Amino acid sequence: MEKKQSGTGTDTDSVPKKVPFLNRIDLSSPDIHQSVSLLKQACLDSGIFYVINHGISEELMEEVFEQNKKFFGLPLSEKMKVLRNEKHRGYTPLFDEILDPDNQVHGDLKEGYYIGVEVPEDDPKAEKPFYAPNVWPSDDILPGWRHTMEKYHLEALEVARAIARIIALALDLEADFFDKQEILGQPLAFLRLLKYPGQISDPSNGLYGAGAHTDYGLITLLATDDVYGLQICKDKYAQPQVWEFIAPLKGAFIVNLGDMLERWSNCLFKSTLHRVLGNGQERYSIAYFVEPSYDCLVECLPTCKSAKNPPKFPPVMYGDYLGQRYKDTHIDLNVYNKLQS
Ligand code: OGA
Ligand code: NI
């Protein structure tokens, strides 16, 4: 049998030679028209762009990466003490998630940690899926960890709101359209710490750091270290698919569009198909999923439909959509209960 080569070719080169140019949206720029125009162009073209001068300090970004490394460096037994629960908070071991089941031989080769919006147990909202108190590693083991993550969670939400105002303008809406209570007023924002071990992915054999997927909500703010790994496919309906690496940019966010933005905009803006390939080096990233509230009804925007262009999707309750997507892509928690008993 012919042996397939792996670890060669552009798919796994550690530093790709050619990467697509991405627009940079400068959140400190007073020229809002220029920001709207750059963002709109990026959303129509690829659904991905950089956000620079976002206001989160370098110190805080570095601190989050440091704390991220410290957590994943703990022994597995310690990490399993904060295993993800049914409200999607806590540690996700290797292979827990499988983002592209049709093309993967097993789950994603990555570890993760979900941190949601903090909702006290006695808050009526906590009766719903996805709303709950967070779970935290013990302060004796990782001093200051919770404080760092909570601070980052709050600041990232403000960045998300600022970007959402530019998106609203790009869709001919009032700037505060997404600030509504049911959208970003009380969102379901998830911070997700990620670590990809130093193994080489092999797409031709169904092995990925993260399988091809689109994110579910409005947008995702991604901070990465300087190791290449993230790829996008600009035209998700083309065959064969063409994958391009996205260059890390220190201090910036890589922002991609989620499925709800595709639905709101009636496919004017499409959610970005992306995946992660391991290249043999460990890689850390920090994703912040900006999602509307559980009860938000997402339906085609008035500015994105007409008699000639009727809505392509029926309205959907975001919580239902998210619940289904999580169910499709995560191991049943009972598997862990069985392993531990
Ligand atoms: C994700 C994701 C990309 C990365 O977690 O949804 O696409 O670079 N992450 O870690
Ligand atoms: Ni993603």
Side-chain angles (χ1 to χ4, degrees), residues 99 210-211 213-216 220 222 230 256 272 274-276 287 289:
L99 280 163
H213 66 284
T214 53
D215 295 343
Y216 313 140
T220 303
L222 183 74
L230 178 67
N256 65 270
T272 324
H274 57 286
R275 67 185 189 184
V276 177
F289 300 109

Side-chain angles (χ1 to χ4, degrees), residues 44 66 183 214 265 268 299:
L44 293 173
E66 279 305 307
I183 308 180
T214 53
S265 74
L268 179 69
E299 56 187 335

